[in-house]
Amino acid sequence: MVRVEDIREAAEAEPGFASPAGAIGVTVSNMNAKVPSVTWVMSAMSAGTARAATVVLYAGKQYRGSEKLVVESARSQFPPDTAIPMPAPAFSVNVAAAATAARRTKRRRGGEEGRLGELKMTTSSAGPRPAERAFETVVLHVGGQFRASEKAVVEAALGRLPGVVLVEANPVAQTATVRYDPALASVQELRREVERSGFDCAGCNTPGCVCDPLHEPGEPEHGHDAAAVARAHDPAGHGEGGHAGHSMDQMAREMRNRFLLALVFTLAILAWSSIGKSLFGHYLAVPFGLDRNVWQLLLSLPVLYAARGFFTGAVAALRQRTLDMNVLVAVAIGVSWVYSVAVTAGLSGQVFYDAGAMLATFVLLGHWFEMRARGSASDAIRALLDLAPPKAVVLRDGEPVEVPTAQVAVGDLLLIRPGAKVPVDAEVTEGESEVDESTVTGESLPVHKGPGAKLVGATINKNGTLRARATAVGSDTALAQIVNLVQEAQNSKAPAQRLADRAAAWLVVVALVASTLTFAGWLIAGADVRQALLFAISVVVITCPDALGLATPTAIMVGSGLGARRGILFKNATALEETASLDTVVFDKTGTLTRGQPEVVEIATAEGITEEELLRLVAAAERDSEHPLAQAITAAAKTRGLEPPAAGGFEAVPGEGALATVEGKRVAMGNARLLEREHISLDGLTQRATQLEGEGRTTVLVGLDGHAAGVIAIADAPRETAKDAVAALRKLGIRSVMLSGDSRATAERVAAQIGIEEVIAEVLPGDKAAKVAELQRQGRKAAMVGDGVNDAPALAQADAGIAIGTGTDVAVETADVVLMRSDPLDVATAVTIGRGTRRKERQNLAWAVGYNSLAIPIAAGALEPIGFTLSPEIAALSMSGSSIIVALNAIWLRRLHLPEQPHQPPATRTPSPPQPAAAPAASR
């Protein structure tokens, strides 16, 4: 008999996998690297053992989809009919909790990644659960990544630190996502290792003025000390897109200065070379009576100084046992210079200081342009990093005091004047105003705020003075978490990029081998050493692994940034790719396609009374009631600008309705039993009331002075953009499906209103994931759009889970995409962005592969028989041009045509940004 512990040990025997004991449960899903678990299906069941049961064993660290094969090989050690003893003879399983927890692993602040806390069997005699290892994820600023291939150096350096389990560097953003064990590593240690590798690091890349870049994740945010405030307000972190934004601007300026220095001395070298003779008709006189070659050697030294970054970068790469673009450029410049020095020292041959200098100058020029293009690709995240205001006004002893934003502590009372930015997340205690949240959530219209309302940091107070209590500061603010989420998505690698990175590393080897063969081949063919060296150097220089390294990161940067501007947060690169491939979108009805709260949708009146008059009288009677239907009626009256008069003689009739006197009229409102009790006949309204009830709407029957006056129909009304969302998806060739637990009549009524033809109704909360899986078995690529706890299993099952931003923490955490504005039309926008990003990725990869495939043989002299050759400087320009084309092509994604937002009425509730997951709330 094999124990559960035996299976756990078999999985852990595979290098890199971990399975905490006790993390077992029941699920319907198959083994999938997107859910860090392993599934064994047994064939029978008996007391104390589980057969014909599905046992899920947590199997963390499956960072790549292909790694599931490694774990499956461990699973194969056990036959399918193996008996597995359970922790106790009698046990019960909360299937709903297990399904909710069986989701894609997402990082949660304050909790460990991969923890399946709810996914466990509850037994009568289970012992204490072993402590599970907690991992933290941070986005570090890593400045000085001048070349795309240098990310391999960053990843290798950080990846060797104890406790670091994953590193994903992004040279476009000048950042790196690092997942590590805080018991073995810290942000300070990560920073020191980055600096030891030759790069700059200010700590975490966080919003300027709000966060201390050296704050350790998981530690509580208190009032910052003076050093922390100084770090948060450092010029590199404010006004220039955070530390990484500062690095990119600084790098572009530094590359420009290096280019100008190299250009001046390269022109001088050319003036005293054979090119100068051709231009002036004679050789220029050499100063101080020096030998011409010695003079060119001296002039080349400043050029070498300007190009020193290539040599230091090459040394750093070799120390980390990697090969990158620096190695190629350093070899090309170094070989040309060393050969020329040897000739100057007496070796027979011709110097070509001019060729080496032009090579360095053109490479620097190309990299300067590339820096500028890469900086443009990261504009969106830089805008987010710069949103927070540098100062906040805090009330101390009733007096307003201006302090640095980083100094604000939880509990401080803030004074927010009209036109000022909200410094940190807070709750309004006094005052009313409209707040512009477009900078953070993408909501185009101002949102009304009053006492008790939540404020999001970095939003703009429009017209009223507010007093608010700070509820979250520093890295706990919504802005910091949104920035972190977007940066992690931008740094994550799509499957195609992982392949491209490996190809780029091998491309350096191919270039060096091809260069050596080119040199030998031309010597054998009878060429002199100088000509053979020029061809060999051209081969080294024209090879561009950077184009492969930038192919998808630039597109992902622009795509995720484009989504962030519209309030759409993609959690990783895979989410972008999955969204692009969808052909079916499954919408949860309540709270997703509908508002999730009752509203008056129709009023039918008897002759002699208007809708406004009827609504005014009923609203007067229901004014003080807390019943949801009563609140819907009073809200409808307020929306229409009606002023309900005072009511008297109110009498609640349990289970039937209420009676009241308004302006001398006896008002009866409720169900049919109430009207029968009051001896009121519906007369001509009977047919209309029956029709409304048949459409799945709740009806409130109204009588005035003993006569039927009208019928008020109340329902969960569709969102304003639901119909537009379905139409936009149809234009994209995507089928919309409604999934609902309501009756078929109610679901079909809502579906007909918004244009959905396929309806799956009367679905139990625990069966939603099974319905999505059924669509997938039909060959569909399905997304699930939901907002509640009971949607979490379906969000995890779907190819792409999309959560409404106002939904529960569990739904937001489970999903791959979060819609900050809770607008279903943003689903079509997300698909459009995903498809545009995927198209740019493919174009960039095709260009990078095609360029290198053609450039190397041309540089080697394949076309020399027809008189076409490339000099090293032209090869260098071609190499840089290849990277620039990739970056500019990705930036062109900004011109993507997105679905237009229709006019909406002013918002009355705050779209909630995604927050760290809390305990699951009760399902609807």
Side-chain angles (χ1 to χ4, degrees):
M1 181 178 293
V2 179
R3 303 168 302 149
V4 172
E5 183 66 19
D6 296 330
I7 301 177
R8 184 178 73 87
E9 291 175 356
E12 289 186 335
E14 300 298 331
F17 292 93
S19 299
I24 57 176
V26 173
T27 182
V28 296
S29 65
N30 222 339
M31 180 172 178
N32 193 331
K34 289 186 287 187
V35 182
S37 57
V38 187
T39 304
W40 283 269
V41 181
M42 308 308 164
S43 59
M45 177 170 282
S46 61
T49 64
R51 302 187 184 190
T54 303
V55 179
V56 176
L57 186 67
Y58 175 93
K61 299 186 183 179
Q62 295 182 62
Y63 298 127
R64 290 161 290 280
S66 59
E67 288 181 337
K68 66 181 181 179
L69 301 176
V70 180
V71 188
E72 284 179 337
S73 67
R75 178 183 68 174
S76 64
Q77 299 176 29
F78 303 98
D81 60 349
T82 301
I84 297 183
M86 288 298 151
F91 61 89
S92 61
V93 179
N94 185 334
V95 177
T100 299
R103 58 189 182 270
R104 296 180 177 86
T105 304
K106 298 290 187 289
R107 184 181 70 84
R108 183 172 65 220
R109 181 171 295 278
E112 58 269 27
E113 178 145 356
R115 181 173 183 176
L116 301 183
E118 294 74 32
L119 185 57
K120 60 182 179 181
M121 293 191 176
T122 55
T123 70
S124 57
S125 60
R129 185 177 181 185
E132 298 175 16
R133 179 167 294 180
F135 291 101
E136 292 289 352
T137 303
V138 295
V139 178
L140 289 180
H141 156 242
V142 183
Q145 297 181 68
F146 285 97
R147 283 148 293 281
S149 53
E150 286 182 329
K151 64 183 176 181
V153 179
V154 178
E155 291 172 354
L158 290 174
R160 293 192 180 98
L161 284 179
V164 174
V165 296
L166 179 68
V167 184
E168 291 179 321
N170 187 343
V172 181
Q174 296 292 292
T175 58
T177 300
V178 184
R179 183 184 297 134
Y180 66 98
D181 183 350
L184 300 175
S186 66
V187 171
Q188 284 278 18
E189 292 172 351
L190 297 174
R191 177 193 183 189
R192 284 195 292 269
E193 184 61 29
V194 170
E195 291 177 340
R196 276 197 295 266
S197 301
F199 300 95
D200 301 325
C201 184
C204 297
N205 198 51
T206 54
C209 306
V210 176
C211 306
D212 174 13
L214 295 182
H215 173 260
E216 294 290 341
E219 292 185 2
E221 291 277 0
H222 302 294
H224 297 299
D225 57 25
V229 172
R231 288 192 296 265
H233 282 261
D234 188 276
H238 173 57
E240 294 191 68
H243 296 286
H246 174 77
S247 290
M248 186 61 72
D249 288 342
Q250 192 177 48
M251 286 163 56
R253 290 193 293 268
E254 182 178 345
M255 195 62 72
R256 178 201 61 196
N257 294 339
R258 290 186 186 184
F259 160 70
L260 293 176
L261 174 63
L263 177 63
V264 169
F265 284 91
T266 296
L267 292 176
I269 292 172
L270 293 177
W272 273 278
S273 70
S274 57
I275 296 177
K277 179 183 178 183
S278 301
L279 181 63
F280 301 114
H282 59 86
Y283 281 113
L284 296 180
V286 179
F288 314 114
L290 294 174
D291 179 80
R292 188 174 305 279
N293 289 348
V294 173
W295 176 240
Q296 290 189 31
L297 169 60
L298 294 176
L299 290 175
S300 71
L301 294 179
V303 179
L304 282 179
Y305 176 78
R308 68 191 183 280
F310 300 114
F311 295 94
T312 57
V315 171
L318 294 174
R319 282 179 177 173
Q320 299 300 333
R321 299 188 290 277
T322 64
L323 295 173
D324 63 10
M325 190 70 210
N326 286 315
V327 174
L328 294 180
V329 177
V331 166
I333 297 175
V335 167
S336 66
W337 191 79
V338 169
Y339 175 77
S340 297
V341 170
V343 172
T344 303
L347 183 70
S348 176
Q350 291 182 329
V351 299
F352 46 98
Y353 291 112
D354 53 349
M358 285 193 292
L359 166 61
T361 302
F362 276 104
V363 171
L364 290 170
L365 173 63
H367 277 60
W368 174 31
F369 287 154
E370 182 185 330
M371 291 294 104
R372 297 182 61 182
R374 281 160 56 183
S376 297
S378 58
D379 281 349
I381 190 65
R382 295 175 67 184
L384 282 175
L385 288 164
D386 284 339
L387 282 179
K391 299 289 185 179
V393 179
V394 179
L395 292 172
R396 302 269 170 85
D397 298 325
E399 295 296 324
V401 179
E402 189 176 66
V403 300
T405 301
Q407 215 172 67
V408 176
V410 173
D412 282 350
L413 187 61
L414 306 172
L415 179 65
I416 309 169
R417 298 186 174 98
K421 280 188 176 182
V422 179
V424 297
D425 294 357
E427 181 176 331
V428 177
T429 59
E430 183 181 337
E432 293 192 2
S433 182
E434 304 295 319
V435 176
D436 180 3
E437 298 185 333
S438 61
T439 53
V440 176
T441 67
E443 179 65 54
S444 58
L445 297 174
V447 181
H448 180 75
K449 302 289 184 179
K454 303 293 184 183
L455 296 176
V456 180
T459 55
I460 302 173
N461 182 28
K462 300 293 288 185
N463 50 23
T465 300
L466 297 174
R467 297 190 179 203
R469 187 78 60 183
T471 57
V473 299
S475 58
D476 290 334
T477 59
L479 174 64
Q481 294 185 44
I482 290 171
V483 166
N484 199 60
L485 188 65
V486 174
Q487 289 187 133
E488 286 186 24
Q490 293 178 338
N491 291 358
S492 63
K493 294 182 180 180
Q497 184 58 40
R498 297 187 186 277
L499 179 62
D501 286 346
R502 290 194 292 271
W506 280 105
L507 187 59
V508 177
V509 177
V510 169
L512 294 174
V513 172
S515 175
T516 303
L517 294 176
T518 299
F519 179 73
W522 279 103
L523 285 180
I524 294 172
D528 58 29
V529 174
R530 176 186 170 88
Q531 185 181 14
L533 269 179
L534 287 176
F535 278 120
I537 291 172
S538 296
V539 169
V540 170
V541 172
I542 204 168
T543 306
C544 190
D546 277 8
L548 280 171
L550 291 172
T552 66
T554 49
I556 291 170
M557 282 283 294
V558 178
S560 57
L562 194 60
R565 290 179 184 273
R566 294 288 292 260
I568 302 169
L569 303 182
F570 296 94
K571 291 190 176 181
N572 48 55
T574 304
L576 273 164
E577 291 198 347
E578 293 288 359
T579 304
S581 61
L582 296 175
D583 57 32
T584 302
V585 173
V586 181
F587 288 96
D588 173 56
K589 181 183 76 70
T590 306
T592 302
L593 288 174
T594 64
R595 296 178 181 274
Q597 55 188 11
E599 295 181 357
V600 173
V601 293
E602 191 168 344
I603 301 176
T605 61
E607 293 185 7
I609 186 169
T610 64
E611 291 185 10
E612 285 72 17
E613 179 66 12
L614 180 71
L615 189 60
R616 189 177 70 88
L617 295 175
V618 176
E622 300 280 23
R623 187 202 305 251
D624 298 325
S625 174
E626 294 184 357
H627 192 282
L629 298 184
Q631 292 179 344
I633 291 173
T634 55
K638 183 178 180 180
T639 300
R640 298 192 184 195
L642 303 177
E643 288 292 337
F650 182 84
E651 177 187 354
V653 183
E656 296 183 5
L659 302 169
T661 301
V662 182
E663 294 182 342
K665 298 177 181 179
R666 182 68 169 172
V667 181
M669 56 230 148
N671 54 28
R673 291 194 301 274
L674 179 67
L675 265 62
E676 290 176 4
R677 169 183 162 173
E678 295 296 310
H679 306 293
I680 298 175
S681 173
L682 282 177
D683 299 328
L685 294 174
T686 302
Q687 182 177 356
R688 186 61 182 139
T690 303
Q691 180 183 355
L692 291 171
E693 290 175 354
E695 294 174 354
R697 296 172 177 175
T698 300
T699 56
V700 176
L701 308 179
V702 183
L704 290 178
D705 292 335
H707 299 284
V711 180
I712 300 176
I714 298 175
D716 186 6
R719 294 181 183 268
E720 292 86 349
T721 58
K723 187 172 183 179
D724 296 314
V726 174
L729 288 172
R730 188 178 294 114
K731 288 182 180 179
L732 295 172
I734 296 177
R735 299 168 62 181
S736 298
V737 179
M738 177 187 287
L739 188 64
S740 175
D742 291 344
S743 66
R744 178 159 294 277
T746 300
E748 289 182 344
R749 172 184 60 79
V750 176
Q753 283 182 282
I754 60 182
I756 292 181
E757 299 176 356
E758 189 171 352
V759 178
I760 304 175
E762 301 175 358
V763 179
L764 296 176
D767 293 338
K768 290 185 177 181
K771 295 297 182 182
V772 173
E774 185 178 329
L775 293 173
Q776 290 172 320
R777 285 193 294 271
Q778 297 172 10
R780 300 197 201 180
K781 293 284 286 185
M784 173 68 191
V785 187
D787 69 330
V789 171
N790 56 10
D791 296 324
L795 291 171
Q797 175 65 45
D799 295 288
I802 303 175
I804 295 295
T806 51
T808 63
D809 291 336
V810 173
V812 170
E813 181 188 2
T814 305
D816 302 296
V817 183
V818 179
L819 308 182
M820 295 285 290
R821 296 187 301 179
S822 305
D823 185 349
L825 183 58
D826 284 340
V827 176
T829 305
V831 173
T832 303
I833 293 173
R835 290 182 177 180
T837 302
R838 183 180 63 180
R839 184 167 58 251
K840 291 300 179 185
E841 287 178 356
R842 291 176 175 177
Q843 290 172 356
N844 285 349
L845 284 171
W847 164 259
V849 172
Y851 164 82
N852 285 291
S853 300
L854 295 175
I856 292 177
I858 292 175
L863 301 182
E864 195 273 342
I866 62 174
F868 184 82
T869 59
L870 290 176
S871 62
E873 55 270 22
I874 299 301
L877 198 58
S878 300
M879 175 270 292
S880 298
S882 177
S883 297
I884 294 170
I885 288 173
V886 165
L888 292 178
N889 185 52
I891 294 171
W892 195 258
L893 184 62
R894 293 176 182 171
R895 292 178 167 267
L896 189 66
H897 178 71
L898 301 176
E900 295 182 1
Q901 300 291 327
H903 175 73
Q904 299 179 13
T908 57
R909 53 188 269 186
T910 305
S912 303
Q915 299 290 338
S923 63
R924 279 191 302 271

